């Protein structure tokens, strides 16, 4: 995250950029490089434990979700130590096949959720894209309207670009109401409120409205009535 490096120092550094691992790459890395060492450390032979790809995918997507594999390596070590403990106590017989149910049962509810379908099923919620340490995430934007002084209210810790995008969206709707099959009278005497829930949470890394170019985009949309900026 170069955004946290002071400009004067960054100007004197050579920056080598690398993209985050995809989910498929993290699963492949875990399968070939991260599972064997902690298994040996837990006194488990290769033929005594098998972690399914579905279980690895669940760990990557629901419990770690990071740009690299450091947390994934720690979680795999914790998982295999639990397996070794159960084998030593006689609670599990070898070979042990670790599946998704073992992950859910041992670690509880997921730390991360794919909530786009649930969130966007509510009128007034639209989605955009945000840059995160893991590569990217879905950004939710909520909008609503009410009677009152005409204008726009923006909430959430937003940059100038995001604020301008919302203003432009509202101006576009007002000026093209007829083309959008909207009665101009429905816009008079209405105040619109646009809120980015996760945008209110301070974070490191690229932010909406950052002055330096970033491969992010966010769509405020023109719906009437979103969440993670991880």
């Amino acid at each position: 995250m170069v955004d946290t490096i002071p400009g004067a120092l960054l100007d004197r550094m050579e920056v080598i950029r690398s993209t985050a691992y995809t989910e498929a790459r993290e699963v492949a890395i875990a399968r070939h490089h991260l599972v064997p060492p902690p298994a040996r450390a837990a006194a488990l032979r290769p033929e005594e434990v098998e972690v399914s790809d579905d279980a690895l995918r669940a760990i990557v997507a629901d419990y770690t979700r990071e740009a690299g594999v450091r947390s994934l390596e720690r979680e795999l070590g914790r998982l295999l130590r639990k397996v070794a403990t159960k084998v030593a106590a006689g609670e599990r017989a070898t070979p042990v096949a670790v599946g998704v149910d073992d992950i859910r049962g041992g670690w509880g509810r997921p730390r991360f959720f794919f909530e786009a379908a649930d969130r966007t099923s509510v009128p007034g919620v639209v989605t955009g894209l945000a840059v995160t340490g893991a590569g990217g995430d879905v950004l939710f934007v909520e909008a609503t309207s009410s009677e009152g002084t005409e204008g726009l209210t923006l909430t959430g810790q937003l940059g100038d670009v995001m604020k301008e995008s919302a203003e432009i969206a509202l101006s576009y709707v007002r000026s093209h109401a007829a083309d959008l099959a909207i009665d101009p009278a429905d816009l008079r005497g209405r105040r619109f409120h646009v809120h980015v829930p996760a945008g209110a949470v301070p974070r490191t890394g690229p932010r909406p409205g950052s002055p330096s170019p970033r491969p992010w985009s966010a769509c405020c949309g023109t719906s009437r009535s979103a969440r993670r900026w991880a």
Side-chain angles (χ1 to χ4, degrees):
M1 290 294 186
V2 298
D3 297 68
T4 60
I5 302 175
L9 175 60
L10 182 62
D11 185 58
R12 289 164 174 77
M13 299 173 64
E14 180 178 354
V15 179
I16 301 175
R17 300 183 181 274
S18 61
T19 58
Y21 293 130
T22 63
E23 181 179 302
R25 285 184 177 181
E26 287 194 41
V27 170
I29 291 171
R31 164 70 55 212
H32 298 290
H33 303 286
L34 301 184
V35 172
R40 289 193 298 269
L44 291 169
R45 293 190 295 272
E47 64 272 12
E48 290 183 321
V49 62
E50 174 69 21
V51 183
S52 69
D53 284 349
D54 288 340
L56 293 175
R57 197 170 293 110
I59 298 173
V60 170
D62 299 339
Y63 294 94
T64 57
R65 196 179 293 187
E66 58 181 337
V69 294
R70 189 174 304 170
S71 295
L72 176 59
E73 185 176 13
R74 287 197 297 266
E75 295 297 338
L76 285 171
R78 185 160 68 99
L79 171 67
L80 293 169
R81 287 192 296 271
K82 286 186 176 182
V83 171
T85 300
K86 291 183 177 181
V87 170
E91 299 177 10
R92 297 285 293 268
T94 56
V96 178
V98 179
V100 177
D101 292 340
D102 295 298
I103 304 300
R104 299 279 190 266
W107 294 346
R109 59 198 302 267
R111 300 172 189 165
F112 304 99
F113 301 90
F114 292 99
E115 56 184 353
D118 293 336
R119 294 297 299 276
T120 55
S121 65
V122 179
V125 180
V126 295
T127 58
L129 298 179
V131 170
T132 69
D137 204 350
V138 176
L139 175 68
F140 297 97
V141 181
E142 301 172 349
T144 187
S145 68
S146 60
E147 295 183 359
T149 305
E150 291 187 9
L152 178 65
T153 299
L154 299 173
T155 52
Q157 189 171 338
L158 307 177
D160 293 337
V161 173
M162 284 284 284
K163 294 177 182 177
E164 291 173 0
S165 297
E167 295 279 2
I168 291 170
L170 180 57
S171 298
Y172 181 86
V173 171
R174 290 188 183 280
S175 61
H176 293 79
D179 298 335
L180 298 172
I182 298 175
D183 186 352
D186 293 339
L187 301 176
R188 288 195 287 270
R190 307 290 298 181
R191 186 163 192 85
F192 296 90
H193 185 172
V194 177
H195 177 56
V196 184
V201 179
R203 61 178 296 280
T204 58
R207 299 176 182 271
S210 173
S212 55
R214 291 285 182 268
W216 74 273
S217 64
C219 174
C220 290
T222 55
S223 325
R224 300 186 180 172
S225 158
R227 175 164 154 162
R228 230 182 123 67
W229 193 214

